[in-house]
Amino acid sequence: QVQLVESGGGLVQSGGTLRLSCAASDSTFSVYALGWFRQAPGKEREFVASISWSGHFKRYADSVKGRFAISRDNAQNTMYMQMDNLRPGDTAVYYCAAGETEVTVSTEPNYWGQGTQVTVSS
């Protein structure tokens, strides 16, 4: 079972930038597709982005296309999400997840991290 730990959240002004990281407990990380989700207060958790085990295939929610970029470094057992041009609507707890493919991880992740708070002020 892979354990995932997010970091990099914080408070930023509208238009600002953050980079989230998701570190895994061991090298089995490299066989999994990975994803980012978010949950805003009073809302359901929603898919944000996913990446295949190789890093070649990526998927994004329409709301973040062109602003967020997902990547991974299997040698470091770490996944990243660069978030540019942040908006107040991006405020949420962000979770990383691991699953079988970049498609199935977007709907049926096998493992979850604990989350990191991102707050965007207007």
Side-chain angles (χ1 to χ4, degrees), residues 4 6 20-22 29 32-38 46-53 59 70-72 79-81 94-107 109-113:
L4 305 170
E6 303 92 337
L20 303 183
S21 298
C22 174
F29 169 92
Y32 291 102
L34 302 169
W36 287 100
F37 292 75
R38 67 186 182 186
E46 65 175 1
F47 167 76
V48 176
S50 63
I51 187 168
S52 62
W53 69 268
R59 303 176 76 231
I70 191 171
S71 62
R72 66 188 294 165
M79 172 178 64
Y80 305 97
M81 187 158 71
Y94 284 71
Y95 300 88
C96 65
E100 294 184 6
T101 73
E102 73 279 8
V103 176
T104 60
V105 75
S106 68
T107 56
N110 299 107
Y111 305 106
W112 291 95

Side-chain angles (χ1 to χ4, degrees), residues 8-28:
L11 173 64
V12 64
Q13 290 187 332
S14 181
T17 295
L18 281 175
R19 189 191 195 203
L20 303 183
S21 298
C22 174
S25 56
D26 58 52
S27 61
T28 58

Side-chain angles (χ1 to χ4, degrees), residues 37-47 63 87-95:
F37 292 75
R38 67 186 182 186
Q39 187 167 20
K43 295 186 177 181
E44 294 187 352
R45 192 176 302 188
E46 65 175 1
F47 167 76
S63 58
R87 305 165 180 169
D90 295 318
T91 295
V93 177
Y94 284 71
Y95 300 88

